[in-house]
Amino acid sequence: MATINYWQKEIETMKRSELEALQLERLKYIVKYCYERVPFYQKRFDSIGLKPEDIKSFQDVEKIPFTTKDDIRDNYPFGLFAVPQKQIVRMHASSGTTGKPTVVGYTRNDLDTWSDLVARLCVAAGATDEDIAQISFGYGLFTGALGLHYGLEKLGASIVPASSGNTEKQVMLLKDFGATVLVATPSYALHIGEVARDMGYTPDDLKLRLGLFGSEGCTEEMRSAVEESLGIFATDNYGMSELIGPGVSGDCEFRTGMHIAEDHFYPEIVDRNTLKPLGEGEIGELVITTLTKEGFPLLRYRTKDITKINYTPDCPCGRTGARMAKIMGRSDDMFKIKGVNVFPSQIESVLVTTPHIGPQYQLILTRTGFMDNIEVVVEVVDGSLLERYAELEKLENSIRHRLQTVLGLDCKITLKEPRSIERTAGKAKRVVDLRNKGTI
Amino acid sequence: MIIKQISVFVENKSGRLAQITKVLADNNVDIRALSLADTTKFGILRFIVNEPERAEKVLRDADLTVSITDVIAVSVEDQPGGLSRPLRILDEKGINVEYIYAFVGAPHDKAFVILRVDDNEKAVKELQACGIPLLCTKDITKI
Ligand SMILES: [Zn+2]
């Protein structure tokens, strides 16, 4: 094994006791900072009689009220900014599927921190200043593209800002420029792989070796499918625009969980329903307090992402930052059907490991009378099943049976032609809920 | 005596058959025989064409799931009971018939039938031994 590279070795490999001391100091500071500068926090604290000085230890964090996406929206556009607008040098926004977007602002220091955090995760994943990195995230208000862009640039990689869409051109650029690193959503990376194959290329025709994937959840199975399709080593990283963008955590080359940049983010896991903090290793919703952000600090922000955290500093890479598991789902994506809580990722694990079908899928929820129905749409890609109807029926039944085992639900399976499920360059739309639309 | 058949997976959408046959027509592939077996859920479209390899390629390029398989084609008298003789022979010899469909555009006194059996070699041998006329690829292009 080659030597392990770090971007900010001292911090990344800091003793946990020192790291925690640093966190606590920053935590106390940011609470006071928010209270003094953002009327929203001051009002919240005052209404429950909480003073910044009351936060003396990590245990006290529980006293701080949560901040939610709705709070950000209610203060649209700049209500939660903590510095005068003059000091804001960049804004980003996350596309609101409903209503107004959530707007975030960065000071010059914030941008500097951000690019360091992204450089950290890129180096941890195995990127170097020798790499050519194609960024196939959509550029714009979305933080993914510019986040990776400036991080990789700081690292010294050569950047191809391809943006998203026009997949044949993406493949042409990958091939002609000899990109070694691909930045994309995992589902778009899969699509790039499909198109490359259609254009007659095998993974050997491309120089790609590393994938830096983010912006949507990705199961182990999906990750293997992408690796096979493009002949790469795939890594995940995590972040969201409210928190800073990509850079909150990322896989190292050992992929033992995504190392969290704990010097800048204080993570908690809380029970989805009671919102009480959970112990180490327990699965729940990730809550993050930003420790150093100047422009748009957040206290106890509910990410809605479901994961667990391992604090044991025993990753072979030497990084001591706690590791969060792959996102198992979003509270928002989770849907309840026939009284059963379902995460699309559970279904994805089954589908991606089923032979004869492609890795893309869609879940359609409908209601007949008072009955919920779930339809799982997949693409048949293997011609060898066409000799007998029975083979196709067997395929349907085996998917149905496996889903029944995993979810305890009877799903209707619909086999479709290849490419009939819509491909997107951004986050894939996996769940179509039609239950409240035009039902009788 | 063994000929190539193209199978295509189709969703049960009206108009799909027309689109697929148009793909073939646009590429100058002629359809000699066609069968659409469908259920309420999906269908399998089967073709005998003049140029099976090219048909397979153009259909794949159109993002369809395609396979090529071997089938046999027999010529039978176009009269009641014409088909029963070859079927009886296959049955007696223990050869299973998976499915059958007829040619389009055969001369009016003849009927050509496609048979998908579980053992092509054996079926050809037994049918020929009983004097049942079989078609080869060259015959197909001439129809
Ligand atoms: Zn590690």
Side-chain angles (χ1 to χ4, degrees):
Chain A
M1 171 117 286
T3 52
I4 290 164
N5 293 315
Y6 305 93
W7 181 248
Q8 292 167 311
K9 185 173 182 191
E10 215 169 289
I11 301 164
E12 291 175 68
T13 60
M14 194 180 249
K15 268 208 209 91
R16 283 214 61 92
S17 54
E18 287 170 33
L19 178 62
E20 281 162 20
L22 175 69
Q23 272 189 308
L24 187 58
E25 182 194 320
R26 289 182 169 178
L27 180 72
K28 289 192 244 178
Y29 175 81
I30 202 74
V31 169
K32 188 159 175 282
Y33 180 91
C34 287
Y35 183 83
E36 286 171 357
R37 288 167 173 256
V38 186
F40 164 82
Y41 288 113
Q42 192 169 64
K43 249 182 263 164
R44 278 258 163 115
F45 274 51
D46 288 350
S47 74
I48 55 167
L50 184 68
K51 297 204 163 40
E53 307 82 78
D54 295 339
I55 309 304
K56 297 190 187 77
S57 68
F58 291 121
Q59 281 71 44
D60 295 329
V61 172
E62 209 184 322
K63 298 174 185 164
I64 304 171
F66 293 105
T67 309
T68 65
K69 200 171 184 106
D70 284 339
D71 293 328
I72 303 178
R73 277 208 200 95
D74 292 346
N75 290 280
Y76 177 83
F78 307 142
L80 295 186
F81 285 18
V83 296
Q85 189 258 308
K86 189 176 181 322
Q87 288 174 42
I88 296 286
V89 293
R90 173 99 65 81
M91 291 186 217
H92 278 287
S94 71
S95 56
T97 38
T98 49
K100 299 283 190 190
T102 46
V103 184
V104 295
Y106 300 75
T107 64
R108 199 164 289 287
N109 283 338
D110 289 338
L111 287 183
D112 214 35
T113 303
W114 188 17
S115 49
D116 274 327
L117 289 176
V118 173
R120 264 193 217 177
L121 73 86
C122 294
V123 170
T128 71
D129 55 4
E130 308 266 331
D131 278 305
I132 300 176
Q134 181 157 321
I135 300 183
S136 302
F137 274 150
Y139 278 69
L141 283 172
F142 166 61
T143 48
L146 286 170
L148 265 298
H149 183 109
Y150 286 107
L152 283 161
E153 189 172 276
K154 200 171 222 177
L155 165 60
S158 314
I159 293 165
V160 184
S163 200
S164 62
N166 196 347
T167 312
E168 294 200 350
K169 191 172 165 204
Q170 299 269 357
V171 174
M172 184 193 84
L173 292 175
L174 282 175
K175 167 108 177 51
D176 295 351
F177 293 7
T180 49
V181 172
L182 175 66
V183 175
T185 62
S187 58
Y188 191 52
L190 260 185
H191 185 50
I192 291 175
E194 281 177 339
V195 172
R197 251 190 319 284
D198 283 357
M199 291 167 71
Y201 298 128
T202 66
D204 291 342
D205 296 321
L206 302 176
K207 291 212 175 102
L208 275 184
R209 62 174 189 88
L210 174 65
L212 297 170
F213 298 136
S215 148
E216 70 181 9
C218 176
T219 56
E220 298 270 350
E221 293 81 3
M222 178 90 163
R223 182 165 79 185
S224 310
V226 180
E227 291 192 318
E228 202 180 313
S229 167
L230 288 168
I232 55 169
F233 179 77
T235 60
D236 267 356
N237 59 75
Y238 175 81
M240 56 172 57
S241 66
E242 299 93 306
L243 298 175
I244 201 160
V248 175
S249 67
D251 275 328
C252 67
E253 55 198 297
F254 298 96
R255 299 193 300 199
T256 56
M258 295 183 282
H259 289 285
I260 303 173
E262 284 180 282
D263 52 329
H264 295 281
F265 302 98
Y266 176 71
E268 297 169 80
I269 297 289
V270 302
D271 183 275
R272 271 208 307 277
N273 301 310
T274 66
L275 301 180
K276 289 282 167 224
L278 295 173
E280 175 168 358
E282 289 189 273
I283 296 173
E285 181 177 332
L286 178 69
V287 169
I288 296 262
T289 297
T290 65
L291 297 176
T292 56
K293 270 173 77 193
E294 299 176 342
F296 188 82
L298 280 172
L299 300 183
R300 298 195 87 202
Y301 184 65
R302 288 187 56 191
T303 64
K304 299 287 181 82
D305 285 325
I306 307 299
T307 183
K308 59 181 178 180
I309 298 180
N310 174 358
Y311 287 89
T312 313
D314 62 358
C315 184
C317 77
R319 288 178 182 81
T320 50
R323 288 162 284 160
M324 56 185 265
K326 284 176 164 304
I327 300 302
M328 298 165 196
R330 280 183 62 74
S331 304
D332 289 351
D333 289 344
M334 187 187 77
F335 54 88
K336 207 170 185 155
I337 188 147
K338 297 175 186 174
V340 181
N341 285 330
V342 178
F343 283 114
S345 58
Q346 293 174 288
I347 297 182
E348 181 178 308
S349 310
V350 168
L351 299 179
V352 177
T353 52
T354 303
H356 312 302
I357 60 173
Q360 304 280 358
Y361 65 94
Q362 202 156 48
L363 311 174
I364 300 170
L365 313 180
T366 53
R367 182 169 290 156
T368 339
F370 294 102
M371 276 292 287
D372 284 346
N373 311 301
I374 174 166
E375 178 184 357
V376 178
V377 180
V378 296
E379 297 174 350
V380 177
V381 295
D382 184 356
S384 73
L385 295 183
L386 300 183
E387 263 330 280
R388 286 171 198 87
Y389 257 101
E391 293 294 325
L392 289 169
E393 275 163 3
K394 220 161 83 190
L395 172 66
E396 270 194 358
N397 287 335
S398 88
I399 299 171
R400 221 175 111 199
H401 182 77
R402 290 183 64 202
L403 288 175
Q404 177 94 47
T405 312
V406 172
L407 307 171
L409 273 178
D410 190 20
C411 302
K412 177 181 176 222
I413 311 300
T414 299
L415 304 182
K416 289 215 170 200
E417 292 167 21
R419 307 293 164 88
S420 49
I421 296 170
E422 191 194 348
R423 267 53 168 173
T424 56
K427 296 185 194 190
K429 186 156 176 56
R430 301 298 197 192
V431 183
V432 181
D433 194 341
L434 304 172
R435 286 180 292 183
N436 294 316
K437 283 182 193 148
T439 46
I440 309 149
Chain B
M1 292 298 116
I2 289 169
I3 58 178
K4 300 283 180 200
Q5 168 191 262
I6 304 282
S7 302
V8 182
F9 177 82
V10 286
E11 287 165 48
N12 232 318
K13 283 192 295 215
S14 52
R16 203 66 185 110
L17 179 61
Q19 285 166 12
I20 292 169
T21 51
K22 186 170 183 299
V23 169
L24 293 175
D26 288 349
N27 288 280
N28 299 314
V29 175
D30 285 337
I31 299 170
R32 304 301 189 194
L34 176 153
S35 141
L36 174 64
D38 66 344
T39 66
T40 50
K41 294 180 289 193
F42 47 73
I44 302 173
L45 194 55
R46 305 190 196 281
F47 300 106
I48 303 296
V49 294
N50 58 344
E51 288 182 76
E53 281 78 17
R54 207 150 65 80
E56 185 194 18
K57 186 182 179 305
V58 300
L59 291 168
R60 264 193 220 290
D61 288 347
D63 283 336
L64 291 155
T65 299
V66 184
S67 72
I68 286 199
T69 39
D70 291 340
V71 292
I72 56 175
V74 295
S75 166
V76 297
E77 295 301 315
D78 192 8
Q79 61 185 48
L83 185 58
S84 64
R85 194 162 162 254
L87 290 181
R88 205 173 52 238
I89 296 164
L90 294 173
D91 186 42
E92 279 165 8
K93 302 296 174 189
I95 298 163
N96 287 314
V97 178
E98 309 262 0
Y99 51 81
I100 298 176
Y101 57 99
F103 267 66
V104 286
H108 67 273
D109 59 330
K110 286 274 185 230
F112 299 126
V113 175
I114 302 293
L115 294 166
R116 163 77 176 137
V117 296
D118 58 0
D119 187 341
N120 283 313
E121 307 289 333
K122 191 172 167 200
V124 167
K125 208 178 88 206
E126 299 296 350
L127 291 170
Q128 278 178 332
C130 296
I132 305 277
L134 289 159
L135 282 72
C136 63
T137 312
K138 217 190 292 163
D139 301 328
I140 307 278
T141 44
K142 275 188 275 177
I143 297 168

